[in-house]
Amino acid sequence: DAKTTQPPSMDCAEGRAANLPCNHSTISGNEYVYWYRQIHSQGPQYIIHGLKNNETNEMASLIITEDRKSSTLILPHATLRDTAVYYCIVRSGGATNKLIFGTGTLLAVQP
Amino acid sequence: GAVVSQHPSRVICKSGTSVKIECRSLDFQATTMFWYRQFPKQSLMLMATSNEGSKATYEQGVEKDKFLINHASLTLSTLTVTSAHPEDSSFYICSAVNLLFTGELFFGEGSRLTVL
C-alpha cells in the first residue's frame, strides 16, 4: 500500500472549517483514499473514502486532486468533539485488503 | 453504521496467565477481521488478518503462538494472549469487513489489557 504524509498536528477554531491535508504521491490506480479518526482511548471511526471523485457525507467532504497525489478532508463546522487524531490511509480495493495506519494528524479544536 | 463490539473493554491479569478478547460483528456477517495493537501515543499496528474457517495470517514480527486467533463463525473472532507479560500490556482493537462490502471497515471500541 502507498504511504501517506500528514502534518503531525493542527489547530482549528470551533465553528470554523477544518482542512486536513494528506500527501500520497505514490498512490496507484486501484488504491482508494480512506479517512478515519480516533478519539482518545476509543476505536477508530470511519469518516469517508474515495477513489478519484470528490465525496461528501454527513460527517465530512473529501477532495482528491486530479492527479490523485494528495487529498484534503474537510470538516465544515468543527466542534470540540472533533478533537481527535485523523488518519489518511490508501488501500487497494477489495474486501480483504488491509488498512495500514500511519502517524496521523492530531486536530485540536479550540473554543 | 455497522456495529463491531469487543469484550472485555478492560482486563487486568497476572503475568503468566492467558487472556481472551472477543470481537463480534453485531449486525452483519464478517468473513474477515483484522486485529491491531496500539501502545500509548503510537499509531495502530496491524497484528493479523483473521479469516472465517481458516488460519489467521500474521504480520511480520508477530508471534502466532503468543497471539492465538480463532475465527470460528461469521460474527466472532477471538484473540488470546497466551502467557501474558507486562510488555503485552496494550490497547487491542479489531476491525470487521462486511460480507456485503461497500468499502467501509468498522472498528470495535478496543480492549485495554494490563498485565501485572
Side-chain angles (χ1 to χ4, degrees):
Chain A
D1 291 329
K3 290 188 176 179
T4 61
T5 304
Q6 299 178 253
S9 63
M10 291 181 64
D11 286 347
C12 176
E14 189 177 18
R16 304 297 294 269
N19 296 286
L20 292 95
C22 180
N23 287 323
H24 30 80
S25 58
T26 59
I27 194 170
S28 60
N30 68 341
E31 288 181 318
Y32 289 73
V33 180
Y34 279 78
W35 283 85
Y36 281 79
R37 71 180 183 184
Q38 186 179 27
I39 296 169
H40 183 62
S41 294
Q42 297 181 22
Q45 178 188 20
Y46 167 81
I47 301 174
I48 200 166
H49 76 285
L51 183 61
K52 54 183 178 181
N53 296 322
N54 297 337
E55 302 287 342
T56 296
N57 62 21
E58 63 277 5
M59 287 185 69
S61 294
L62 173 61
I63 309 298
I64 303 174
T65 57
E66 193 168 341
D67 62 7
R68 302 207 325 121
K69 293 185 177 183
S70 65
S71 60
T72 301
L73 178 73
I74 301 172
L75 307 179
H77 305 286
T79 70
L80 298 179
R81 287 179 294 181
D82 291 322
T83 293
V85 178
Y86 287 76
Y87 294 98
C88 167
I89 304 165
V90 294
R91 175 181 180 268
S92 297
T96 59
N97 289 322
K98 301 177 275 195
L99 272 176
I100 304 297
F101 285 77
T103 53
T105 296
L106 173 58
L107 175 69
V109 181
Q110 308 290 346
Chain B
V3 179
V4 177
S5 178
Q6 285 184 237
H7 178 81
S9 58
R10 292 179 180 272
V11 57
I12 301 172
C13 71
K14 292 182 179 180
S15 187
T17 60
S18 294
V19 174
K20 180 185 286 187
I21 300 170
E22 294 184 345
C23 177
R24 293 183 184 272
S25 55
L26 296 185
D27 55 357
F28 66 97
Q29 293 183 317
T31 54
T32 301
M33 292 185 178
F34 300 100
W35 284 97
Y36 293 82
R37 180 169 57 181
Q38 186 176 32
F39 292 110
K41 299 189 184 300
Q42 295 186 22
S43 186
L44 285 78
M45 184 194 80
L46 180 66
M47 299 175 67
T49 302
S50 168
N51 299 299
E52 187 267 337
S54 65
K55 290 184 179 180
T57 304
Y58 290 83
E59 296 298 303
Q60 192 172 8
V62 177
E63 300 175 58
K64 61 180 181 180
D65 295 330
K66 172 79 172 170
F67 300 99
L68 301 180
I69 291 172
N70 183 277
H71 193 158
S73 78
L74 285 172
T75 59
L76 174 65
S77 175
T78 60
L79 169 68
T80 301
V81 183
T82 62
S83 186
H85 291 284
E87 57 266 29
D88 298 323
S89 298
S90 188
F91 193 49
Y92 293 88
I93 308 166
C94 72
S95 171
V97 180
N98 195 330
L99 260 182
L100 304 175
F101 180 64
T102 54
E104 307 97 319
L105 284 82
F106 298 97
F107 285 80
E109 317 96 320
S111 299
R112 186 163 301 283
L113 170 63
T114 302
V115 184
L116 302 177

